[in-house]
Amino acid sequence: MTSYEERIVRTLEAFRRNRYDVSRFADRTAAADYLAAEIRGKRVGFGDSETLRALSLYEHLIEHNEVIDPPRAGHAGGIEAFLAAGREALMTDVFLLSANAVTEQGHILNMDGAGNRVAGSLFGHEKTYFVVGINKLVPDIEAGIERIHRIAAPKNAQRKGKKTPCARDGERCYDCSALERICNALTIHYKKMSYRPMELVLIEEDLGL
């Protein structure tokens, strides 16, 4: 049986082959301190992420950076404030988000409803960081999609109070046609996008959904 350590090493090697920078941390505190030291004097955009909130990254970064966090803006000012902040986050120097799943073969999967999170992961920033807890690690793309359908999507719909079939039980995707469906676009990063650096920040804790 493959050991825990072998699995992590194999994953990080796969991400390096796929042209990503990689970093590994035992806990969220070390990861947050690292990111705060790496990112200074920048305009920073966030994708909606329970992982970033678990690391208190907004609080870590705001002292030395301008941070655009669309969910925070939306909570204070409603949907129009969320959309405005989402557009602004696409034009920042640095973008941070998590992932719904990462594979041992070096792939990153994200499902999105509004699109600002996956849009920000693809193009336009000096550097992009994918901040991921060990619970997001799966063997392959098929397992990653299954994780989205069984865990990430229903639990996030439930967290957001969406009026969808999956939010009622939080157990599985129903491939619904609900107006508040959050599974509208799936991105799979097979390799790092060209021209700009991207980094996988892997944390050996269960973080996010």
Side-chain angles (χ1 to χ4, degrees):
M1 182 179 292
T2 302
S3 72
Y4 172 82
E5 181 65 19
E6 288 171 338
R7 191 180 183 211
I8 293 180
V9 169
R10 180 170 63 247
T11 298
L12 297 183
E13 288 176 349
F15 273 92
R16 290 189 185 98
R17 287 196 301 272
N18 288 346
R19 305 191 298 270
Y20 292 90
D21 299 328
V22 299
S23 53
R24 172 185 177 182
F25 298 95
D27 58 59
R28 69 189 73 185
T29 301
D33 289 346
Y34 166 76
L35 289 165
E38 286 284 301
I39 304 168
R40 297 175 74 87
K42 301 290 186 179
R43 295 187 76 243
V44 180
F46 278 10
D48 188 8
S49 168
E50 288 294 286
T51 299
L52 301 188
R53 283 186 278 276
L55 269 66
S56 299
L57 269 185
Y58 184 91
E59 292 77 10
H60 275 78
L61 296 178
I62 195 63
E63 183 177 354
H64 298 291
N65 305 278
E66 179 186 359
V67 183
I68 313 300
D69 184 2
R72 183 180 291 263
H75 181 74
I79 185 61
E80 291 303 322
F82 167 81
L83 293 173
R87 289 190 292 271
E88 192 172 356
L90 298 179
M91 303 298 291
T92 55
D93 303 316
V94 175
F95 194 76
L96 293 100
L97 71 162
S98 189
N100 296 137
V102 296
T103 79
E104 295 175 27
Q105 299 157 349
H107 307 130
I108 301 172
L109 288 78
N110 267 313
M111 184 75 79
D112 211 351
N116 60 296
R117 185 168 59 102
V118 297
S121 76
L122 293 169
F123 179 78
H125 306 283
E126 292 176 8
K127 186 165 184 177
T128 300
Y129 293 87
F130 295 89
V131 185
V132 181
I134 197 66
N135 53 310
K136 307 292 184 69
L137 181 58
V138 297
D140 52 34
I141 288 173
E142 183 178 0
I145 294 173
E146 178 70 8
R147 185 183 191 282
I148 290 170
H149 288 163
R150 293 285 179 178
I151 300 174
K155 296 298 185 186
N156 273 305
Q158 200 171 56
R159 171 178 67 87
K160 293 170 179 287
K162 297 296 185 181
K163 296 176 182 178
T164 61
C166 69
R168 284 197 295 268
D169 59 34
E171 296 296 331
R172 66 182 180 91
C173 173
Y174 290 86
D175 193 19
C176 71
S177 297
L179 292 176
E180 294 191 354
R181 174 183 168 123
I182 64 171
C183 297
N184 294 325
L186 172 66
T187 60
I188 302 174
H189 290 246
Y190 291 97
K191 303 282 185 181
K192 184 192 75 66
M193 304 304 290
S194 300
Y195 307 121
R196 292 294 192 177
M198 293 182 165
E199 182 168 342
L200 175 73
V201 180
L202 183 66
I203 305 166
E204 294 178 62
E205 285 190 60
D206 288 353
L207 296 166
L209 297 174

